[in-house]
Amino acid sequence: MVNKHYPVEFKADAVALYRSRPGATIAQIADDLGVNRETLRSWVRLDDQRRGGADRPAASARPQSAGTVEQENAALRRRVRELEEERDILRKAARYFAGGDALVNRFQFVADHQQRYGVKRLCRLVGVARSSFYYWKATAADRAARDAADAALAVRIRAVRAAHDGTYGAPRVTAELHDAGVLVNHKKVARVMRRYRIRGLRLRLRVQTTIADPAAVKAPDLIRRDFTAAAVNQRYVGDITYLPVGERGFLYLATVIDLHSRRLTGWAIADHMRTDLVIDALAAAQRTRGDLDGAIFHSDHGAQYTSKGFAAACAAAGVRQSMSKVGSSADNALAESFNATFKRETLQGRRAFTDEREARLTAFRWLHRYNTVRRHSRLGQQSPIKYENSTQPAPATLTQAA
């Protein structure tokens, strides 16, 4: 009987039964009735207190026969053996819980030892329901099939990431798989990447490249955080970022990005951050498009962009300047995001490039692949040039700045 709240009549009958059998022990009566031994013992004590102890001495004071003592000793020895065996079982189980899914490990432990100890006992010791264990066993074939499918998908994911220098996350990997004829949900790709610890890259090092000139003339904000354009060659954003080289050296990259297609239309690399750097990037964009007349170019308040030299270059190209608020990275978020992606995917977790040659060649390769190969989430997982070709006739391919 499993009951925590016994009626008064039941308690009285249990005590009466115990008193009616002089040779019986509390343990025997409790086991017969299916109640806890200490519970029955407490009922007897309470009854003794009510009766003044006149009818029968308490259990602790009752004389016991030699046979009764031997029976209880034998029962205690059996219980000690059971506890020792259960201790050994739990020691074996502990090795199963070192890693992975704890619940699955418990099920596996029960499956591996059920012939010796029994399912009921093992499930009780490791704290799992028998029904759950039997369901786990019944679905073993389905799980094995899913595991095999996940392993095969992980191989494909690693191949895709290897083809793109290990830079693609779940959305771009999913797009690559779809193009290869593998129809899989991006959530499953993300789950498999987590399971097989296929991780992305993180950017750590930061260096200040925006140095404002308080005396410079500022242009109005014509973008106002609207990083879109109805067609190509209408609105651009640009910025300067650094390329760490060796122990203390730096190269600097200036960019010009079309807001319609996210295409990198112009860029320049130098070992300085003088105004010539951003003028060269703008000239490269002009060569790519052929004409920038009427376009807007948006930047931060760096001294290079507020300089008279750059203003003259914009005027000569027919470009209207636009500038974000001082100290507000969100006002030029698209260019900031591009820079972060560039450094994350080229440095691959390193603090710096080995030397200037490696930095220039790595940048050259990545910047061109960004336009021709790398998928962009904003463009429906297409590359910028492919997106331009799908929406309107595309101009000539990107030409590197001097």
Side-chain angles (χ1 to χ4, degrees):
M1 178 182 297
V2 179
N3 193 346
K4 294 184 178 179
H5 304 287
Y6 297 93
V8 175
E9 294 81 6
F10 178 89
K11 297 177 182 178
D13 290 342
V15 173
L17 177 63
Y18 168 70
R19 295 193 187 286
S20 68
R21 300 179 61 188
T25 65
I26 284 182
Q28 292 170 334
I29 299 300
D31 291 345
D32 289 343
L33 297 177
V35 301
N36 184 275
R37 296 175 181 180
E38 288 302 318
T39 299
L40 179 57
R41 196 183 306 278
S42 68
W43 295 346
V44 172
R45 290 197 194 99
L46 289 173
D47 186 65
D48 285 341
Q49 291 172 6
R50 285 194 298 269
R51 298 162 60 96
D55 291 346
R56 182 172 181 169
S60 58
R62 289 179 66 224
Q64 294 180 315
S65 64
T68 301
V69 172
E70 182 58 33
Q71 289 175 357
E72 291 193 351
N73 288 340
L76 288 173
R77 287 192 293 271
R78 285 195 302 272
R79 183 55 182 158
V80 168
R81 287 195 297 271
E82 289 175 0
L83 291 173
E84 289 176 344
E85 188 175 50
E86 290 179 358
R87 178 198 60 193
D88 294 338
I89 292 173
L90 291 174
R91 284 177 176 173
K92 294 177 181 178
R95 292 194 291 269
Y96 281 70
F97 305 152
D101 190 321
L103 185 59
V104 170
N105 290 341
R106 292 169 190 260
F107 290 151
Q108 190 62 57
F109 173 76
V110 174
D112 292 346
H113 297 83
Q114 61 179 331
Q115 296 298 325
R116 180 174 180 181
Y117 301 112
V119 171
K120 181 178 180 180
R121 186 182 189 188
L122 291 173
C123 286
R124 174 177 60 81
L125 288 175
V126 299
V128 296
R130 276 184 290 165
S131 59
S132 298
F133 167 73
Y134 286 123
Y135 175 81
W136 177 81
K137 285 195 66 176
T139 56
D142 293 338
R143 284 197 311 280
R146 285 195 298 272
D147 289 345
D150 283 357
L153 181 59
V155 172
R156 285 183 171 271
I157 291 172
R158 288 194 174 99
V160 169
R161 285 173 52 81
H164 295 274
D165 302 329
T167 61
Y168 274 12
R172 292 185 176 88
V173 168
T174 303
E176 287 285 334
L177 293 174
H178 285 179
D179 283 358
V182 181
L183 300 182
V184 60
N185 187 282
H186 73 279
K187 294 181 180 179
K188 182 174 182 179
V189 172
R191 177 180 60 79
V192 172
M193 290 179 68
R194 286 194 301 272
R195 177 178 181 181
Y196 287 89
R197 298 183 179 180
I198 305 174
R199 296 189 177 96
L201 303 171
R202 298 180 183 275
L203 181 65
R204 295 180 181 177
L205 188 62
R206 294 186 63 85
V207 172
Q208 183 181 8
T209 55
T210 302
I211 303 174
D213 181 358
V217 177
K218 309 300 190 297
D221 186 353
L222 304 178
I223 296 294
R224 297 186 180 277
R225 301 189 184 182
D226 178 13
F227 301 109
T228 62
V232 299
N233 203 23
Q234 291 183 349
R235 307 171 89 193
Y236 294 89
V237 296
D239 197 10
I240 300 175
T241 192
Y242 66 93
L243 285 69
V245 178
E247 291 296 326
R248 297 182 180 180
F250 292 98
L251 293 177
Y252 299 93
L253 168 69
T255 56
V256 180
I257 303 170
D258 192 306
L259 286 181
H260 175 72
S261 63
R262 302 301 196 263
R263 181 176 181 176
L264 179 64
T265 55
W267 57 276
I269 292 179
D271 58 0
H272 61 80
M273 286 198 301
R274 295 190 295 271
T275 302
D276 290 346
L277 177 66
V278 295
I279 292 176
D280 287 344
L282 184 68
Q286 190 172 17
R287 290 195 298 272
T288 298
R289 292 304 191 200
D291 184 10
L292 297 178
D293 188 38
I296 296 173
F297 178 78
H298 184 77
S299 68
D300 58 26
H301 282 263
Q304 302 85 353
Y305 292 114
T306 59
S307 67
K308 292 181 180 179
F310 186 70
C314 287
V319 172
R320 289 187 293 164
Q321 280 189 270
S322 169
M323 292 184 184
S324 58
K325 296 177 182 177
V326 177
S328 176
S329 61
D331 288 346
N332 201 22
L334 191 145
E336 297 274 356
S337 176
F338 175 90
N339 292 341
T341 299
F342 166 76
K343 284 182 282 189
R344 181 175 62 249
E345 296 188 2
T346 54
L347 285 170
Q348 298 271 335
R350 296 180 297 166
R351 297 191 63 85
F353 296 103
T354 303
D355 51 37
E356 182 175 325
R357 182 175 184 275
E358 182 201 10
R360 288 182 178 273
L361 290 178
T362 301
F364 175 83
R365 177 177 181 270
W366 189 93
L367 294 171
H368 280 281
R369 282 175 59 86
Y370 170 86
N371 279 336
T372 60
V373 176
R374 191 182 185 280
R375 296 176 183 273
H376 201 298
S377 57
R378 172 67 175 74
L379 309 177
Q381 298 300 352
Q382 299 181 78
S383 68
I385 289 181
K386 184 176 181 180
Y387 179 76
E388 285 189 1
N389 292 338
S390 68
T391 57
Q392 54 198 337
T397 56
L398 175 70
T399 303
Q400 183 190 11

